[in-house]
Amino acid sequence: MLVRDAMSTMVLTIGPAHTLRQAARLMSERRVGAAVVLDPDTYGLGILTERDILNSLGLGQNPDLETAGTHTTTDVVFATPGWSLEDAADAMSHGGFRHLIVMEGTEPTGIVSVRDIIRSWAPARRATAATTLAG
């Protein structure tokens, strides 16, 4: 299976000036665990995840004052739709993160998460197990 088969095509894009509360509200409304942060004036594309927001809250920071830009990961590994899910899972496990921005050319076209990969693999694993038990 390929990343294009598992990725979410709903890409939430926010700016670096969004507060963490605004980002959390948008992520919650769209039921996504990460937002692409677009800042063409500095680093281009980055990612803000629910974990970034939790870490800020855990430090006692004010989500109404903290901005996405100060909590964005800019050293991002990007996937392409043609990557295998194994390649995506390997990149995530080696990098210690749970989301990959999927790029086609210069545009983000999706996000693939560990959860997306598990959802894609689970039916195939069940079918393999059923075939093995029947044989």
Side-chain angles (χ1 to χ4, degrees):
M1 291 190 84
L2 301 177
V3 165
R4 77 171 46 90
D5 302 320
M7 72 182 194
S8 169
T9 56
M10 178 182 292
V11 179
L12 172 61
T13 303
I14 62 173
H18 277 81
T19 66
L20 292 187
R21 184 178 307 279
Q22 291 169 326
R25 186 179 66 249
L26 291 169
M27 290 164 65
S28 177
E29 287 171 358
R30 288 164 180 82
R31 300 180 54 120
V32 297
V36 173
V37 181
L38 178 59
D39 187 357
D41 294 332
T42 57
Y43 51 78
L45 288 179
I47 191 166
L48 178 74
T49 67
E50 55 199 357
R51 181 172 289 176
D52 297 323
I53 295 169
L54 284 173
N55 287 341
S56 175
L57 292 174
L59 292 171
Q61 296 174 334
N62 185 335
D64 294 314
L65 299 178
E66 294 295 315
T67 62
T70 59
H71 295 278
T72 297
T73 300
T74 57
D75 184 19
V76 179
V77 175
F78 298 102
T80 67
W83 274 24
S84 71
L85 291 183
E86 290 81 6
D87 289 339
D90 188 51
M92 289 179 194
S93 66
H94 280 74
F97 47 84
R98 299 180 300 170
H99 298 85
L100 284 170
I101 300 172
V102 182
M103 300 288 288
E104 252 184 304
T106 59
E107 296 296 317
T109 58
I111 293 185
V112 65
S113 69
V114 170
R115 180 176 292 153
D116 296 328
I117 293 171
I118 291 170
R119 284 182 185 149
S120 293
W121 281 344
R125 301 262 192 258
R126 282 194 297 273
T128 301
T131 302
T132 303
L133 291 173

